[in-house]
């Protein structure tokens, strides 16, 4: 009963879980004070910062327009000597003291007005604020962008997301239920190419090939394309070669890499059959990874026979310590023995733990390679 309720909750909250996972899967090792894909509140703050940056940029553009108008007025203000073609004519013109006065005035006070405007505009250069914001981690770094691109790769790989739909901005999976989260913004060819590069660097050789293929398909629909076709073709060839090289030299899959298990050109004929190994004494790393991914997708790896022997009962303890208030025990697995003890802690106990821990909470500043 409780498992059915849990599955229902997972279905109802699939949208929010997927969006959060996109932010949580990967952490950038370069982040010290702020992790831009660890909390939704930080991303909300980033939207506020983006509005401030836009305001600064618009103000700067207005000041640039004033400078531009002044420069154009200075340049287009024709002088009598502009039509003089010979040195002797210019010499005769400058012999007149008033003419000389106007020339000197133009190149001092006239040009000085423009110099003053330019210097004043420099004081409001938004680049200064942007640099300071990045130093204070109020704006993300390039590593954050790379980290989030890696998160998309892992999200698509773990949940077997429809890649074509993902490039349209929609999150959709048909395993094990047809579920989707619509989005508003699609990815362009350049986006897909960048994600493919990140996938290749992170060892997702199969996903790197798929993402660059999506980039190539997107580029044919764009006018003008966001990335040159030649650059895509070159990278596509290199990604295939790297995939097949890794497959030949180190194998199908490992802790830090994964492939199709066959050369890219033969992937259409590869076997997709899967048999869960849950209780063997030793399970290969690739099997553990595959089990993890399928459980994340909501697939049922356990058979009805496995669950038929599980029981729920009241537990009084080996010495009968809980006899007056037995604990609700629910078996999840027999070998190894896994149980859930329900209502073990009362509300007052939980409140005490929360009150003790809350003032001591702080975001970890020491992310590791495995999260």
């Amino acid at each position: 009963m409780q498992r059915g309720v849990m599955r229902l909750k997972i279905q109802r909250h699939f949208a929010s879980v997927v969006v959060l996972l996109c932010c949580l899967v990967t952490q950038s090792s370069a982040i010290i004070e702020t992790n831009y894909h660890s909390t939704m509140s930080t991303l909300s703050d980033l939207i506020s910062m983006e509005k401030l940056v836009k305001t600064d940029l618009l103000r700067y553009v207005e000041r640039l327009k004033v400078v531009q108008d002044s420069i154009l007025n200075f340049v287009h203000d024709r002088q009598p000597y502009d039509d003089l073609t010979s040195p002797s004519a210019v010499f005769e013109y400058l012999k007149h003291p008033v003419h000389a006065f106007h020339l000197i005035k133009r190149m001092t006070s006239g040009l000085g007005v423009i110099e003053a405007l330019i210097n004043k505009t420099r004081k409001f250069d938004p680049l200064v604020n942007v640099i300071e914001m990045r130093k204070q981690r109020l704006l993300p770094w390039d590593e954050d962008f790379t980290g989030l691109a890696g998160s998309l790769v892992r999200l698509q790989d773990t949940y077997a997301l429809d890649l074509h739909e993902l490039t349209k901005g929609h999150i959709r999976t048909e395993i094990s239920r047809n579920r989707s989260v619509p989005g508003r913004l699609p990815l362009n060819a350049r986006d897909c190419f960048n994600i493919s590069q990140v996938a290749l660097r992170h060892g997702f050789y199969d996903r790197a090939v798929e993402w660059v293929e999506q980039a190539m398909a997107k580029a044919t629909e764009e006018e003008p394309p966001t990335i040159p076709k030649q650059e895509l073709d070159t990278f596509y060839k290199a990604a295939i070669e790297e995939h097949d090289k890794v497959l030949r030299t180190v194998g199908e899959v490992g802790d830090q890499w994964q492939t199709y298990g066959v050369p890219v050109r033969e992937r259409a004929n590869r076997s997709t059959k899967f048999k869960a190994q849950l209780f063997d004494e030793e399970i290969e790393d690739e099997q553990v990874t595959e089990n993890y991914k399928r459980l994340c997708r909501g697939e049922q790896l356990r058979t009805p026979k496995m669950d038929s022997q599980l029981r729920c009962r009241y537990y009084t303890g080996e010495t009968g310590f809980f006899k007056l208030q037995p604990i609700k025990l629910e078996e999840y697995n027999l070998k190894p023995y896994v149980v859930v003890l329900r209502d073990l802690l009362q509300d007052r106990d939980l409140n005490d733990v929360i009150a003790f821990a809350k003032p001591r909470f702080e975001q970890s500043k020491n992310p590791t390679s495995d999260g």
Side-chain angles (χ1 to χ4, degrees):
M1 176 66 177
Q2 289 172 333
R3 290 180 184 172
V5 172
M6 181 60 70
R7 283 195 292 269
L8 181 59
K9 289 181 179 179
I10 291 175
Q11 284 179 288
R12 289 178 177 175
H13 297 290
F14 173 74
S16 59
V17 169
V18 168
V19 173
L20 286 173
L21 277 171
C22 184
C23 300
L24 291 172
V25 171
T26 304
Q27 296 191 26
S28 170
S29 60
I31 295 174
I32 299 175
E33 296 296 335
T34 303
N35 189 327
Y36 273 95
H37 35 91
S38 64
T39 61
M40 298 304 292
S41 61
T42 305
L43 291 174
S44 298
D45 293 340
L46 185 56
I47 290 179
S48 300
M49 294 306 303
E50 190 250 8
K51 292 179 180 178
L52 291 176
V53 171
K54 286 195 296 187
T55 300
D56 282 348
L57 291 175
L58 288 174
R59 289 175 179 171
Y60 187 63
V61 168
E62 292 299 322
R63 294 186 176 96
L64 288 178
K65 288 180 180 178
V66 174
V67 175
Q68 181 187 36
D69 291 341
S70 298
I71 292 175
L72 291 176
N73 288 335
F74 181 86
V75 172
H76 294 152
D77 184 15
R78 292 189 60 79
Q79 301 298 312
Y81 48 78
D82 289 336
D83 297 325
L84 302 178
T85 58
S86 66
S88 59
V90 172
F91 181 77
E92 287 296 324
Y93 173 81
L94 293 177
K95 284 171 57 177
H96 196 296
V98 175
H99 295 171
F101 171 82
H102 280 291
L103 177 60
I104 297 300
K105 181 188 72 170
R106 176 173 170 79
M107 299 309 294
T108 52
S109 61
L111 185 58
V113 171
I114 296 177
E115 291 179 70
L117 285 173
I118 293 175
N119 287 328
K120 184 178 180 180
T121 302
R122 285 176 178 171
K123 295 179 181 179
F124 296 96
D125 187 348
L127 183 60
V128 176
N129 290 336
V130 169
I131 292 175
E132 186 60 30
M133 287 177 181
R134 292 204 191 280
K135 285 182 179 179
Q136 297 182 19
R137 299 300 286 127
L138 298 175
L139 293 177
W141 295 349
D142 290 340
E143 289 84 353
D144 298 313
F145 174 75
T146 302
L148 197 51
S151 297
L152 277 176
V153 174
R154 286 180 169 83
L155 185 70
Q156 186 263 332
D157 179 69
T158 300
Y159 284 89
L161 300 181
D162 185 320
L163 188 54
H164 182 64
E165 287 295 307
L166 189 57
T167 61
K168 293 180 180 179
H170 311 312
I171 298 176
R172 180 181 178 185
T173 179
E174 297 180 355
I175 303 176
S176 58
R177 306 172 187 86
N178 190 350
R179 297 172 289 186
S180 62
V181 180
R184 298 183 181 183
L185 297 175
L187 300 172
N188 60 33
R190 172 67 69 175
D191 296 330
C192 295
F193 174 70
N194 289 337
I195 294 173
S196 178
Q197 289 180 309
V198 172
L200 195 68
R201 289 199 298 269
H202 288 184
F204 290 88
Y205 298 102
D206 49 352
R207 301 307 179 192
V209 172
E210 294 170 5
W211 276 101
V212 72
E213 287 174 342
Q214 289 296 319
M216 296 168 72
K218 286 277 186 179
T220 61
E221 303 170 357
E222 296 175 344
E223 188 57 44
T226 54
I227 183 171
K229 181 178 182 299
Q230 183 179 0
E231 186 175 355
L232 283 174
D233 291 342
T234 301
F235 182 80
Y236 183 46
K237 181 180 179 181
I240 292 177
E241 291 176 352
E242 186 69 16
H243 172 281
D244 293 350
K245 177 183 176 182
V246 169
L247 178 64
R248 289 193 310 270
T249 56
V250 295
E252 299 180 10
V253 66
D255 290 339
Q256 304 296 328
W257 81 92
Q258 66 180 51
T259 67
Y260 288 116
V262 297
V264 173
R265 305 299 183 187
E266 302 174 14
R267 58 182 161 167
N269 301 322
R270 74 187 190 280
S271 174
T272 57
K273 293 182 179 180
F274 170 78
K275 181 179 179 181
Q277 293 176 273
L278 301 180
F279 309 117
D280 294 353
E281 292 296 330
E282 293 185 7
I283 301 179
E284 297 291 336
D285 289 341
E286 59 187 273
Q287 182 68 46
V288 173
T289 301
E290 189 63 26
N291 288 350
Y292 161 75
K293 292 179 182 179
R294 291 178 179 269
L295 287 172
C296 286
R297 298 169 195 159
E299 295 185 38
Q300 183 60 261
L301 302 186
R302 298 176 63 90
T303 65
K305 183 179 179 180
M306 294 177 184
D307 292 338
S308 64
Q309 301 176 16
L310 302 180
R311 299 288 183 269
C312 294
R313 66 178 186 274
Y314 285 106
Y315 176 68
T316 60
E318 294 182 1
T319 61
F321 183 80
F322 299 106
K323 190 171 184 178
L324 293 179
Q325 188 175 351
I327 296 174
K328 300 173 184 176
L329 183 148
E330 181 180 358
E331 294 177 341
Y332 268 43
N333 195 66
L334 297 180
K335 184 181 179 182
Y337 194 57
V338 180
V339 299
V340 172
L341 303 178
R342 302 195 178 277
D343 300 331
L344 178 63
L345 298 177
Q346 303 301 315
D347 288 344
R348 63 176 181 273
D349 301 319
L350 297 176
N351 291 334
D352 289 343
V353 173
I354 293 173
F356 175 80
K358 191 172 182 179
R360 295 169 174 80
F361 273 150
E362 64 178 24
Q363 185 175 350
S364 172
K365 298 179 177 61
N366 298 288
T368 60
S369 59
D370 59 358

